[in-house]
Amino acid sequence: MIKPPHLMTLADLNVNQIQNVLTHALRLKNTSTAYLAPGSPRPINSRLVRGVPPQSLSHSSIALLFSKRSTRTRVSAETAAVLLGGRALFLGREDIQLGVNESARDTARVLGGMCQGIFARVGDHSEIEELAEHSPVPVINALSSLWHPTQILADLLTLHEEASFQVGQPIKAKTAFAVLPEIKPLTITYLGDSTNVLHDMLVTFPRLGHKMQVATPNDPQYRCPTPVWNRVKELGCDSGITWVEDPREAVKDADVVITDTWISMGQEAEKEQRLKAFQGYQVTEQLCREGGAKPDWKFLHCLPRKKDEVDDEVFYGPRSLVFPEADNRKWTIMALFDMLFGHWQIYDPKVIEQRQPKS
């Protein structure tokens, strides 16, 4: 029996594979956006034709196993599965027996016997590792305590689409088979808690030629956990990361400033302590001006956002890429669904183009 491919973190993919996912996501975005435009003709059947999203999940069901609530991840996954010709089954913590009368091992086997893929948003990372160990179909990590790979793919696609970061000739935005635009090496600043979002940045951005400057309070509970830092060093990413305490020092020469929640789900009891620890970390124009960020710096946030983390001037201002970033969750998840659930591997973009019908 062929062992199914799983994706727990972007540390599991090499640089070419990451670029391939992003390239395919852009192709799907361009194809699907034109296909979904008001007044656009719809095919009578699901026959794969040029101009129609690939129907790799035709007659397939994808289990969305969510033990934590979600907006972007859930809606992205459900709409992506539909565009690929399949159906997503949302399975919340109140819907199934997982964690009540059934183990993760048994749940993985049952879901894998009925569905063609599992997209799991869990608590502790060990939960998704157990699902992947026993699942007969591919498992993709939709979020765990340690990693959040689909979010960082969306961040990367957004950065590649940002015109001020691009080098060379711009792509033809409306071309279905456009290539991923090249961007310059960026200085990316992250301010705040060492969350799963940051962890996948640490194992990804330096390998793509970007420099990371991270500011967290000088307290072990807000620093990178050992299992994550071991992966960072294993991939040789540590040389591209600077870790400081002062947020002003961290934003020096920043092209991009990123933050995340200071109070993750399950940490509500620590709210007062955490707000005190992160005083001075709110992303503002003043902070970035005083710290010496680049004049045209941009802002990212995975959402949902609280005003303690970033003020309205930045969040809703011209520097903010948060809503294009949210939109791109759909296209990067769709790319992973097509590749891993539909074909059980990360295809090279040229191979994908070759299997498209001519008309």
Side-chain angles (χ1 to χ4, degrees):
M1 181 177 178
I2 301 175
K3 184 178 180 180
H6 305 300
L7 180 62
M8 301 290 102
T9 164
L10 294 185
D12 295 341
L13 303 182
N14 61 40
V15 170
N16 286 336
Q17 289 174 315
I18 294 170
Q19 296 285 14
N20 292 348
V21 174
L22 294 174
T23 300
H24 191 38
L26 184 60
R27 292 166 180 267
L28 292 172
K29 180 177 183 176
N30 289 340
T31 301
S32 302
T33 300
Y35 174 74
L36 295 173
S40 176
R42 302 286 194 275
I44 296 176
N45 54 44
S46 61
R47 183 171 58 90
L48 181 59
V49 296
R50 184 175 291 277
V52 176
Q55 301 297 285
S56 59
L57 298 186
S58 179
H59 304 295
S60 297
S61 298
I62 304 304
L64 307 186
L65 188 59
F66 280 37
S67 62
K68 288 191 172 185
R69 61 185 179 271
S70 165
T71 299
R72 281 146 298 278
T73 308
R74 176 178 177 177
V75 176
S76 295
E78 291 192 0
T79 55
V82 169
L83 273 172
L84 293 169
R87 180 183 180 187
L89 306 176
F90 182 79
L91 306 172
R93 61 192 307 171
E94 303 300 325
D95 300 320
I96 59 175
Q97 293 288 348
L98 177 62
V100 181
N101 295 314
E102 195 161 38
S103 67
R105 175 177 181 170
D106 293 355
T107 299
R109 174 58 185 85
V110 170
L111 293 180
M114 301 181 186
C115 300
Q116 285 64 58
I118 299 174
F119 191 51
R121 185 177 175 93
V122 301
D124 192 82
H125 187 68
S126 62
E127 297 175 41
I128 198 162
E129 288 183 323
E130 186 174 1
L131 288 171
E133 182 181 356
H134 300 287
S135 173
V137 298
V139 175
I140 297 175
N141 182 6
L143 174 145
S144 70
S145 59
L146 290 184
W147 307 105
H148 199 351
T150 62
Q151 178 62 54
I152 306 314
L153 288 171
D155 293 357
L156 282 166
L157 182 58
T158 306
L159 295 177
H160 278 271
E161 291 181 313
E162 170 54 39
S164 65
F165 296 152
Q166 294 176 7
V167 296
Q169 295 296 318
I171 62 169
K172 297 179 181 179
K174 301 300 182 183
T175 302
F177 298 103
V179 297
L180 189 73
E182 182 184 357
I183 58 174
K184 64 184 180 182
L186 301 172
T187 297
I188 300 173
T189 293
Y190 179 93
L191 307 179
D193 196 11
S194 185
T195 64
N196 45 26
V197 169
L198 173 62
H199 300 163
D200 256 302
M201 292 179 185
L202 296 175
V203 295
T204 304
F205 288 166
R207 289 192 288 153
L208 297 174
H210 307 304
K211 177 183 177 183
M212 286 209 68
Q213 300 176 166
V214 183
T216 60
N218 188 19
D219 186 316
Q221 70 174 311
Y222 305 123
R223 293 295 179 101
C224 186
T226 299
V228 172
W229 193 247
N230 287 343
R231 294 299 298 271
V232 170
K233 292 192 294 184
E234 175 187 315
L235 293 167
C237 292
D238 51 320
S239 61
I241 302 168
T242 301
W243 212 292
V244 298
E245 183 178 1
D246 185 353
R248 285 172 175 76
E249 183 180 351
V251 300
K252 176 69 174 176
D253 296 325
D255 295 290
V256 184
V257 179
I258 306 175
T259 191
D260 189 9
T261 182
W262 299 344
I263 306 164
S264 298
M265 285 181 274
Q267 296 177 334
E268 290 80 5
E270 305 172 28
K271 180 177 180 179
E272 184 176 348
Q273 169 195 336
R274 285 177 166 273
L275 289 178
K276 183 177 180 180
F278 290 105
Q279 283 183 2
Y281 280 76
Q282 184 190 46
V283 180
T284 64
E285 289 284 352
Q286 180 180 349
L287 170 68
C288 293
R289 183 172 57 252
E290 292 177 354
K294 297 281 183 61
D296 58 349
W297 64 274
K298 302 298 181 184
F299 176 74
L300 293 176
H301 192 299
C302 66
L303 306 181
R305 156 262 188 176
K306 302 179 184 68
K307 288 188 177 182
D308 297 308
E309 301 151 5
V310 53
D311 68 4
D312 283 352
E313 182 182 12
V314 172
F315 186 78
Y316 291 111
R319 299 189 186 281
S320 179
L321 300 175
V322 297
F323 294 112
E325 175 188 13
D327 295 342
N328 281 333
R329 292 296 306 281
K330 175 171 183 169
W331 310 117
T332 48
I333 286 173
M334 187 174 173
L336 289 175
F337 279 17
D338 182 36
M339 290 175 157
L340 293 180
F341 294 159
H343 299 284
W344 280 43
Q345 63 178 300
I346 302 293
Y347 275 104
D348 184 286
K350 293 180 180 179
V351 175
I352 294 174
E353 186 167 356
Q354 289 169 3
R355 62 183 169 86
Q356 298 286 344
K358 297 303 180 183
S359 61

